Amino acid sequence: MKSQQTTQTMKPATAAKKLGVYLPATPQEFQEGVVTRAELNEFQANPPAWLQELRRNGPHPRPVVAARLGVSIAGLARGGVTEALTTEQIEALRQERPEWLEKERATQAEVRKEAARIKGKQAQED
């Protein structure tokens, strides 16, 4: 007997998160439908023009903004950034170098340094 495979689907919010885009900026038909695993794979392999544009210019979701600025998502919140930002706005922040951004970058660098130290220590113990 052959078992029937069901098509795996996901909500648009989940697909947007996996694609690294801000859901409210996606086309209406993407927001209102469901996305199959095959469609998600196709979006990743051959992104349509709207997806390319969103990835290039935004608006970007907070995880992408945080990564591009080199801070944590919590650091963004502490700095007062709670909305999605465009690439242009991210670049402006990089140029302005506000005090909160410099402080959060330093904090993030310390966190990474500590994580590397712990990983190295654990490797020596093994």
Side-chain angles (χ1 to χ4, degrees):
M1 279 171 69
K2 200 178 197 184
S3 65
Q4 284 195 326
Q5 276 199 328
T6 58
T7 304
Q8 190 178 19
T9 61
M10 62 193 81
K11 294 177 184 176
T14 304
K17 190 173 186 177
K18 290 179 181 285
L19 293 170
V21 295
Y22 185 57
L23 181 62
T26 61
Q28 198 66 35
E29 58 271 8
F30 181 86
Q31 293 178 38
E32 293 174 351
V34 293
V35 180
T36 65
R37 176 65 62 185
E39 288 172 327
L40 179 70
N41 291 340
E42 183 61 26
F43 282 140
Q44 290 172 328
N46 300 305
W50 63 265
L51 181 55
Q52 291 176 15
E53 178 66 20
L54 278 178
R55 286 178 170 169
R56 186 174 27 259
N57 298 317
H60 304 287
R62 286 181 306 158
V64 174
V65 174
R68 289 187 177 194
L69 290 174
V71 299
S72 66
I73 295 172
L76 281 180
R78 286 189 292 270
V81 178
T82 57
E83 299 296 318
L85 298 179
T86 63
T87 300
E88 190 175 292
Q89 291 169 316
I90 293 169
E91 287 304 316
L93 276 174
R94 282 185 179 156
Q95 298 301 316
E96 291 169 14
R97 300 181 76 123
E99 185 179 328
W100 71 265
L101 180 58
E102 294 302 312
K103 182 180 173 190
E104 291 300 335
R105 281 182 168 172
T107 300
Q108 190 71 0
E110 285 298 316
V111 168
R112 287 187 184 121
K113 188 175 166 183
E114 180 65 9
R117 185 190 68 78
I118 291 170
K119 187 175 181 180
K121 186 178 177 183
Q122 288 175 341
Q124 287 178 345
E125 291 174 0
D126 289 342

